[in-house]
Amino acid sequence: MKVNAYATREPKGLLEPLSYELNELGAEEVDIKVIYCGVCHSDLSMMNNEWGMTQYPLIPGHEIAGEIIAVGTAVKNLKVGDKVGMGWLSASCMSCSQCMEGDHNLCSSSEATIVGRHGGFADHVRGHWSWVVPIPTGMDMGKVGPLFCGGITVFNPIVIAGVLPTDSVGVIGIGGLGHMALKFLKHWGCEVIAFSSNPDKKEEILAMGATKVINSKDPNELEAIQGKLKLILNTTNVKLDWNAYLSALAPKGKLHTVGAVLEPMEIPAFSLIGGEKSVGGSPIGSPGLTKKMLEFCLRHEIYPIVEEFPMEKVNEALDHLKSGKARYRIVLKN
């Protein structure tokens, strides 16, 4: 099958039309007609080889929402015509301890949708059936795509940390990831503290679900919530005063990063020891947790705030993201 896509051939290069032929469909594989594909900051990082693992030409796109057009002979629980999504991972080995225990997202042999293979800035994409997740009936196809990467990335830490509705939780950075975390935590029942460096966004952030907005550039505001938070979720990829946030944690609290901070994080040992605090991180969640997240979103009508561009204007969409003007996730439509 011929696939028409958009690819870049070098770091910081533009995306240009590229066609390629898919090999014969494997027994456990699924072909998806891409209807929508979200644009994630990870696409930019891969395009520019910031993580040192990009292979060119690169077809980005890993927040895919579409329809199954073909299934292999050994595919389970999926059929032609199903509305489905696929995110950062497109396959895992299905036999290691992590896969067998339900932690497919931690499989050391997993296949990322845009690492060494072709992604969803295209009219079709292929994946293993286990990572092709059905979209519940009634969900908005135009908004569901970003949930398969950005959404599950911030949903997973809430589950990992065992967050209760009675807990106070902080979110650093109210952008593409952070705004979805606010929505999840609001409906989880938590007191939600948003850390933002942009005071002009305060009312908008409160409307998303934050209980309170803290100016992250004001040491006095940070000091006022010392010892209050069960979990602080960092969604940014920049160096911050980590000790100030550790001080805001309650005893046994956790600072958890999903933002790909490239510089080493400076963590004073005594800031952890005194309160039995911890620092951690996580990738996306498993296919099973992704299904639960979609059910949670359907129940509470949770969607990312999106801006839609036609697929053929992908470079314009990326420029919009680079400028910092995206509010809050960009979705491309075929």
Side-chain angles (χ1 to χ4, degrees):
M1 181 176 67
K2 182 179 180 180
V3 177
N4 300 304
Y6 289 89
T8 183
R9 298 182 180 276
E10 59 185 1
K12 301 188 185 301
L14 292 176
L15 288 166
E16 300 175 344
L18 174 71
S19 296
Y20 70 95
E21 290 287 335
L22 279 170
N23 297 326
E24 184 179 350
L25 186 67
E28 297 189 355
E29 291 181 321
V30 172
D31 280 339
I32 304 168
K33 176 184 177 182
V34 179
I35 302 174
Y36 294 94
C37 188
V39 181
C40 180
H41 200 277
S42 298
D43 291 312
L44 279 179
S45 295
M46 284 294 296
M47 287 174 65
N48 296 330
N49 198 23
E50 292 175 4
W51 301 334
M53 58 185 181
T54 303
Q55 298 176 39
Y56 298 99
L58 170 73
I59 299 172
H62 59 276
E63 296 186 336
I64 297 152
E67 180 179 330
I68 294 177
I69 60 166
V71 297
T73 56
V75 168
K76 299 175 176 63
N77 302 319
L78 295 171
K79 64 183 185 302
V80 172
D82 284 351
K83 300 296 190 298
V84 295
M86 190 169 76
W88 177 256
L89 293 180
S90 52
S92 53
C93 77
M94 303 299 288
S95 61
C96 68
S97 295
Q98 286 69 40
C99 285
M100 295 300 289
E101 292 171 6
D103 295 320
H104 304 70
N105 53 315
L106 303 181
C107 173
S108 61
S109 302
S110 62
E111 174 188 85
T113 301
I114 61 172
V115 180
R117 68 188 300 283
H118 297 318
F121 288 2
D123 54 8
H124 296 88
V125 71
R126 176 173 290 177
H128 189 273
W129 67 265
S130 60
W131 283 96
V132 177
V133 180
I135 296 172
T137 301
M139 292 202 78
D140 187 338
M141 288 283 288
K143 296 179 180 178
V144 74
L147 293 171
F148 286 94
C149 178
I152 188 60
T153 294
V154 294
F155 189 84
N156 191 25
I158 299 171
V159 177
I160 291 172
V163 172
L164 301 174
T166 51
D167 289 329
S168 296
V169 179
V171 179
I172 306 173
I174 313 304
L177 291 173
H179 92 284
M180 283 189 274
L182 295 183
K183 289 170 176 276
F184 287 140
L185 289 163
K186 172 189 175 182
H187 290 285
W188 210 264
C190 300
E191 179 185 34
V192 190
I193 307 299
F195 297 98
S196 176
S197 59
N198 186 352
D200 294 338
K201 290 166 62 175
K202 181 176 180 178
E203 294 304 318
E204 191 174 2
I205 292 171
L206 290 171
M208 292 174 191
T211 312
K212 184 176 183 180
V213 181
I214 297 290
N215 183 349
S216 57
K217 293 182 177 179
D218 188 337
N220 293 326
E221 291 196 25
L222 285 171
E223 187 175 352
I225 59 164
Q226 280 193 1
K228 302 291 187 184
L229 305 177
K230 159 84 177 260
L231 170 71
I232 297 178
L233 180 60
N234 173 52
T235 70
T236 69
N237 62 354
V238 297
K239 184 177 180 179
L240 299 172
D241 182 356
W242 303 114
N243 194 46
Y245 291 104
L246 290 173
S247 298
L249 288 173
K252 298 188 178 182
K254 183 175 185 179
L255 172 63
H256 192 105
T257 188
V258 295
V261 184
L262 295 180
E263 295 184 49
M265 297 171 68
E266 297 176 359
I267 306 294
F270 282 108
S271 295
L272 302 178
I273 293 170
E276 295 184 18
K277 300 174 184 179
S278 62
V279 178
S282 62
I284 64 168
S286 68
L289 188 61
T290 301
K291 291 177 183 178
K292 290 183 183 296
M293 175 200 65
L294 292 174
E295 292 167 4
F296 186 76
C297 290
L298 179 64
R299 182 180 303 170
H300 297 288
E301 296 186 20
I302 297 171
Y303 291 104
I305 298 170
V306 303
E307 295 179 280
E308 188 177 298
F309 286 74
M311 183 70 76
E312 61 268 23
K313 292 190 176 180
V314 60
N315 286 304
E316 184 179 321
L318 286 168
D319 286 341
H320 190 58
L321 177 60
K322 293 174 192 174
S323 72
K325 296 177 181 177
R327 294 294 183 267
Y328 278 84
R329 298 296 276 195
I330 295 171
V331 174
L332 303 174
K333 181 181 181 181
N334 265 321

